[in-house]
Amino acid sequence: MNKMFKERFKYYKRKSPVPDFSSVIDLDNNVFVSQAHQIELNYKSDVEKPPLGLEPPKKWLCYALNSSGVIIIRNPFTARGQRYWISRCLRDYPRGPNVNNLSPHLFPTEVLDNWWQCLQKCSDKDEVRRLGISLRWATLGYHHDWDSKKYSEERRGNFPEDLASISTYFASILGYKNYDAQAAIVNFYPIGTTLSAHTDHSEPNRMAPLFSFSFGQTAIFLIGGRTREDLPLAVYLRSGDVLVMSGESRLCYHAVPRVMKTLDEPWNDPIPLEGVASIESPRCKKARIEPPTAEPDEENGFDTLLYLKVVDEAFWSPFKIFLNNARININVRQVLNAGESSLPTSEQEELKN
């Protein structure tokens, strides 16, 4: 039997001749009439204010892909919010004790410990390129084992509080109660790279939603059915988009056959400075920000100094350069079932078996 998913993947991955993109669902240009529909969010009017960098929910545009159970919130982030999360993904999340794909056989310890800092200090163009394209993923919280496809209590780190806060906020707006973000995979995609067809079935809790945050260049995302024989839908995922997979869609095959140059760069949009004290900067007199006298979002674990710094164009410049040819994707999951505080240890699993 012809594997429809594989054929669609190969088609959109193709470099020459360039594929026809007219069948890709485009939420910005209403090219989705028969394949998706806009939905209203039934959140409570007294819902708490959003975390830093998010627009209020009343401004969100939310769509459901027909028959797939997938929801897409079309860029609910402010430009400053996008900058914050891009910075966190590049500067902080690849660092230890988080785990990344960089091999100790190929890179010295200082690169493994602080990839972003080494990338900025490097002056050799060839090495800069090698460093830039070598980081492909980092894991947070429960560290996914790529060989066994399982999580374990022995490979568990602290989950970033800010990422947990924003994930819980999205869950509450969408009606998912008691959501607990416990694991994340941060993917780094240079233009031209792909993610092959797979399902997300490693988590013991497959009822909780998976939140996928996209930043940077545009991706074509494929979502199919429970088998590779099902013809997938194709949809553009643009910077700031939040894709939510829950229920049936958690076990559906999905993939990214193409990362492509975007026409819009919302992460570089001008950022208003109302209510923020500024000091003169040689490169951008309006954008250099002094540290705050009070923590504006301390309860949600945000790095408020970083949130101020990303307005400074001199500080932002290396992140902007990296995003010129790359996409970043954060996948957040709840691992444990309700009422559980930990996974069985290896010894407990052996005794059970």
Side-chain angles (χ1 to χ4, degrees), residues 178-290:
N178 304 315
Y179 183 79
D180 188 3
Q182 296 164 337
I185 302 174
V186 185
N187 296 113
F188 304 89
Y189 297 95
I191 284 180
T193 56
T194 64
L195 176 66
S196 59
H198 66 285
T199 62
D200 290 300
H201 58 269
S202 297
E203 295 77 28
N205 187 338
R206 296 172 191 163
M207 298 302 295
L210 181 153
F211 293 97
S212 176
F213 305 98
S214 292
F215 300 104
Q217 302 302 322
T218 296
I220 292 179
F221 177 78
L222 298 182
I223 177 70
R226 295 286 291 267
T227 74
R228 296 175 190 264
E229 280 72 41
D230 296 315
L231 181 67
L233 294 176
V235 60
Y236 288 117
L237 289 181
R238 296 185 169 94
S239 191
D241 286 353
V242 181
L243 182 143
V244 187
M245 300 178 69
S246 62
E248 179 70 14
S249 66
R250 284 295 305 268
L251 297 178
C252 289
Y253 279 94
H254 53 281
V256 176
R258 198 177 194 96
V259 177
M260 54 204 298
K261 195 73 174 176
T262 185
L263 298 177
D264 300 312
E265 297 182 346
W267 59 90
N268 289 325
D269 286 349
I271 299 174
L273 300 174
E274 290 84 356
V276 182
S278 62
I279 61 176
E280 185 173 322
S281 167
R283 296 191 185 184
C284 184
K285 291 185 178 181
K286 286 187 175 182
R288 189 77 179 255
I289 308 302
E290 288 187 350

Side-chain angles (χ1 to χ4, degrees), residues 142-143 145 150-156 335 343-344 346:
Y142 277 107
H143 299 295
D145 188 312
K150 293 182 179 180
Y151 297 95
S152 69
E153 205 62 34
E154 291 85 353
R155 287 171 52 84
R156 182 181 186 178
V335 174
L343 292 170
S346 300

Side-chain angles (χ1 to χ4, degrees), residues 41-341:
L41 297 172
N42 296 317
Y43 61 91
K44 295 180 180 179
S45 59
D46 61 347
V47 69
E48 62 187 47
K49 69 176 183 178
L52 288 176
L54 275 182
E55 298 283 3
K58 65 182 180 180
K59 292 186 177 182
W60 295 3
L61 295 176
C62 192
Y63 303 90
L65 301 188
N66 294 343
S67 73
S68 71
V70 168
I71 292 173
I72 298 176
I73 304 172
R74 180 68 185 96
N75 185 21
F77 293 90
T78 64
R80 191 173 184 178
Q82 289 207 33
R83 290 190 183 193
Y84 175 85
W85 290 108
I86 291 165
S87 301
R88 285 286 276 157
C89 288
L90 292 172
R91 188 192 72 168
D92 301 327
Y93 290 162
R95 298 184 65 180
N98 300 328
V99 178
N100 63 49
N101 69 289
L102 297 177
S103 169
H105 301 296
L106 300 175
F107 295 99
T109 302
E110 54 265 30
V111 173
L112 305 180
D113 291 342
N114 198 331
W115 165 82
W116 181 251
Q117 185 180 80
C118 290
L119 179 62
Q120 301 316 305
K121 289 183 176 180
C122 186
S123 58
D124 183 285
K125 290 184 178 180
D126 292 335
E127 185 63 12
V128 165
R129 184 180 183 281
R130 187 174 82 100
L131 282 171
I133 65 174
S134 293
L135 181 70
R136 301 305 299 273
W137 56 261
T139 54
L140 320 173
Y142 277 107
H143 299 295
H144 186 260
D145 188 312
W146 300 95
D147 296 321
S148 68
K149 307 298 183 186
K150 293 182 179 180
Y151 297 95
S152 69
E153 205 62 34
E154 291 85 353
R155 287 171 52 84
R156 182 181 186 178
N158 293 326
F159 194 87
E161 189 178 349
D162 53 355
L163 185 55
S165 296
I166 200 169
S167 301
T168 300
Y169 184 81
F170 277 107
S172 66
I173 294 297
L174 294 172
Y176 299 105
K177 297 180 179 179
N178 304 315
Y179 183 79
D180 188 3
Q182 296 164 337
I185 302 174
V186 185
N187 296 113
F188 304 89
Y189 297 95
I191 284 180
T193 56
T194 64
L195 176 66
S196 59
H198 66 285
T199 62
D200 290 300
H201 58 269
S202 297
E203 295 77 28
N205 187 338
R206 296 172 191 163
M207 298 302 295
L210 181 153
F211 293 97
S212 176
F213 305 98
S214 292
F215 300 104
Q217 302 302 322
T218 296
I220 292 179
F221 177 78
L222 298 182
I223 177 70
R226 295 286 291 267
T227 74
R228 296 175 190 264
E229 280 72 41
D230 296 315
L231 181 67
L233 294 176
V235 60
Y236 288 117
L237 289 181
R238 296 185 169 94
S239 191
D241 286 353
V242 181
L243 182 143
V244 187
M245 300 178 69
S246 62
E248 179 70 14
S249 66
R250 284 295 305 268
L251 297 178
C252 289
Y253 279 94
H254 53 281
V256 176
R258 198 177 194 96
V259 177
M260 54 204 298
K261 195 73 174 176
T262 185
L263 298 177
D264 300 312
E265 297 182 346
W267 59 90
N268 289 325
D269 286 349
I271 299 174
L273 300 174
E274 290 84 356
V276 182
S278 62
I279 61 176
E280 185 173 322
S281 167
R283 296 191 185 184
C284 184
K285 291 185 178 181
K286 286 187 175 182
R288 189 77 179 255
I289 308 302
E290 288 187 350
T293 56
E295 299 293 334
D297 203 15
E298 188 177 33
E299 68 276 14
N300 287 323
F302 275 69
D303 184 336
T304 51
L305 182 56
L306 175 63
Y307 188 73
L308 292 172
K309 283 183 175 180
V310 296
V311 182
D312 184 340
E313 296 300 329
F315 175 84
W316 174 246
S317 179
F319 301 99
K320 176 180 178 179
I321 292 170
F322 186 91
L323 262 289
N324 281 338
N325 294 290
R327 171 181 181 253
I328 298 172
N329 178 239
I330 316 171
N331 291 284
V332 180
R333 306 114 186 279
Q334 179 172 332
V335 174
L336 303 174
N337 290 304
E340 294 179 339
S341 59

